[in-house]
Every structure is written in C-alpha cells, then in structure tokens.
Amino acid sequence: MKFNKNTFSIAGAEFNTRNGLITLAVSAGVLAILIFLKLVGVNFSWYGVLIGVAFLLALAFSVKYCKYRDLKSDLPYDLIWWIFPLSLIGARVYYCIFNNSFDMFFDFSKGGLAVYGGIIGGTIGLVICCLIKKVNILKTMDVVAPVLILGQAIGRIGCYTAGCCYGSEVTNKALQWFPIAYYVHGGWHLATFFWESMLCLIGFFVLAMLLRKYRSTGLIASCYLFYYGIVRYFTESFRDTSAQLFIGSQPVSKWLSLFLVILGTIGIVIIVLKERKKNQI
C-alpha cells in the first residue's frame, strides 16, 4: 500500500488521491443516509447494499488490473453488464434447485442466494462477453479472479446481517465470543461467515500479488479455484446443517469445493509444465 499527494496504490491498483477522497466522502454520506433510513423504520437489506458495494469495488480494481494481462481498461465496463445479472440469476437458481423452492424464486425477501450459483452464472456471463468482444477468456478470468474473491469477502459480511451461513451451535460458554462464535437465531453459533470473509480477503491480496508477478495465462484463475475450494471446504465443514444445501444427505458445497481444488490443481500443473517446456526450448 503506497500513498502520495497525487496517487495511492492498494494491492497493485493505482488510484487518483483526489478522486479517492471524493468517493470516500460520498460513500460516507450514503452510509449515513442508509443508517438514518434504517433508524426511522425504512426496510431494506444490508446484504443487498453490501453486494452492490462488492460489485462496485470489483469494477474499480478490475479496470486497474487489465494492464497485467494486456487487456483494454474499459473491458470491465462491458463485463459488468453480463456478469452482474447472470451471477444474481445463477445464485438464485442454484439456491432454489438445491433447496427445492422454485415457488419462492421471485420472493427475495426470504433470502436465498448461493455463492457457487453466482460464480457459475457470472462465469457464463464472462464467457459470453469475451466471445462477443473477441477477448481471451483465460486472460479475462485472471483479471477477474482477485476481484471476485474480494467481492466474496464483502458478501460474507452481508451474511451476518442476513443471519445466514452460520456454523454449528456452540454450547461451551468459554467459546461464546466473537470471532469464534456469534449470537444468531436464539443461540450461539460458530462465526463461519467471518472466517470465510477474512480468508477471502487474504486471498484477494495474494491473487493480486500473483497477477502482478506472473504473466502465465490462466494461472491466477487456477490459483483462485484451488484456494477458494480449500477455504470453502474448510468453512463448510463447520457449517450448521440448517445453513447448508444438500443433494440427498450430501452437502453440495463440500463436493463442489473438492472439484474446484482438483480443477485448480490440474490447471496450475499444466501451466507450470508448459512454462518449463517453453523455457527449455
């Protein structure tokens, strides 16, 4: 992280200091208005607000990251029109499929957005946009991977306000304190939402560093699959069964996480071997 009079840099993304301060001031004002509206009884979802913030931050960082894969900096503005709606639709469809609740598909007041469904829907949107714009799909995925996991870090904080994605019940009073556990639905549960959020935030800085350091196409996307697969499998192991989606008696996310780890490992190995072969020639 670097700061000077004209610019400041965060995780390899350089921003104008003046514009950054203006954005910060506007954001603080909007936050104050939202808090006031909540206090006077206006009903809205903090989870939805945080999802919006996640997309805006992802857009801001991805614009700066395009240069690391020789992509045009305006590409993310095209991507967002495809990724945003399809990720929301994917998240909803995924939840309704595995929760057997298509009758409440349009009733967002009861929640029901699944991260993996959002990733699948967003990936479809990315591929469609890249095909239309004739842009390298893997290079684009490399740019999107760090900002995707940043968005997930923010989105998991939204799980606290929505009262979802909590862990198993904690009955030991010595462990009933945050960040080990938090009080939700009338009892203390493991704060798995917070664990995943912090691990995703770490992943953002790591992937951003790898993006700047290594130019191998597809490497960052593969590292994302490997890392997030491990993170999700870990947190899912502590998740309360009432906060999971199942196929029969099997938790969907644990199996999908294992698949991501395997897919990411294969991608990393293939890319490393290709680079070694290229260097030997």
Side-chain angles (χ1 to χ4, degrees):
M1 190 178 293
K2 298 178 182 178
F3 292 89
N4 60 51
K5 183 179 179 181
N6 297 315
T7 63
F8 65 96
S9 177
I10 300 176
E14 190 175 88
F15 300 95
N16 180 276
T17 302
R18 179 175 176 274
N19 291 342
L21 291 173
I22 292 173
T23 302
L24 200 62
V26 171
S27 299
V30 171
L31 178 60
I33 292 171
L34 290 174
I35 292 173
F36 172 77
L37 291 175
K38 201 70 172 179
L39 290 174
V40 298
V42 177
N43 188 30
F44 64 88
S45 170
W46 280 111
Y47 184 80
V49 172
L50 288 169
I51 292 295
V53 170
F55 269 101
L56 289 175
L57 281 177
L59 181 62
F61 276 94
S62 59
V63 166
K64 305 298 181 180
Y65 287 157
C66 281
K67 64 181 180 181
Y68 296 117
R69 287 297 182 269
D70 300 317
L71 298 172
K72 293 182 179 179
S73 60
D74 61 351
L75 176 61
Y77 295 104
D78 294 315
L79 286 171
I80 198 72
W81 289 103
W82 292 95
I83 292 177
F84 183 72
L86 287 179
S87 63
L88 291 180
I89 293 171
R92 189 62 170 170
V93 169
Y94 184 100
Y95 177 84
C96 290
I97 287 174
F98 294 110
N99 201 47
N100 194 25
S101 56
F102 268 102
D103 57 319
M104 55 172 277
F105 184 86
F106 295 103
D107 187 3
F108 285 88
S109 65
K110 296 180 180 177
L113 294 174
V115 171
Y116 273 138
I119 293 172
I120 294 169
T123 301
I124 293 171
L126 181 147
V127 171
I128 293 173
C129 184
C130 287
L131 290 175
I132 292 174
K133 294 293 180 178
K134 295 181 174 56
V135 178
N136 187 288
I137 293 172
L138 286 178
K139 284 186 177 182
T140 306
M141 286 182 173
D142 280 343
V143 170
V144 169
V147 299
L148 169 58
I149 205 166
L150 172 62
Q152 289 172 272
I154 297 169
R156 280 301 179 212
I157 298 300
C159 292
Y160 170 77
T161 63
C164 62
C165 303
Y166 48 88
S168 303
E169 187 177 5
V170 177
T171 55
N172 187 340
K173 291 187 179 298
L175 299 177
Q176 292 178 348
W177 52 278
F178 189 80
I180 292 179
Y182 75 118
Y183 194 80
V184 62
H185 297 308
W188 284 89
H189 292 262
L190 292 173
T192 49
F193 80 93
F194 181 76
W195 304 350
E196 186 172 329
S197 177
M198 292 300 101
L199 289 170
C200 284
L201 187 60
I202 292 170
F204 162 65
F205 286 104
V206 171
L207 292 179
M209 181 270 292
L210 293 175
L211 179 67
R212 301 194 304 274
K213 188 173 182 180
Y214 298 103
R215 296 287 175 162
S216 303
T217 300
L219 180 63
I220 312 307
S222 297
C223 287
Y224 165 82
L225 294 174
F226 177 79
Y227 179 79
Y228 184 67
I230 291 176
V231 168
R232 186 60 184 272
Y233 188 90
F234 167 74
T235 55
E236 204 71 19
S237 299
F238 295 95
R239 186 81 65 83
D240 193 275
T241 54
S242 64
Q244 291 179 314
L245 299 177
F246 288 85
I247 297 180
S249 60
Q250 298 299 319
V252 182
S253 293
K254 289 189 73 171
W255 288 105
L256 190 50
S257 297
L258 284 176
F259 175 72
L260 291 190
V261 172
I262 294 170
L263 194 62
T265 301
I266 293 172
I268 292 169
V269 170
I270 290 174
I271 292 166
V272 170
L273 290 178
K274 279 182 66 176
E275 288 298 314
R276 283 187 178 181
K277 187 176 181 180
K278 187 189 298 183
N279 293 333
Q280 289 173 356
I281 296 175

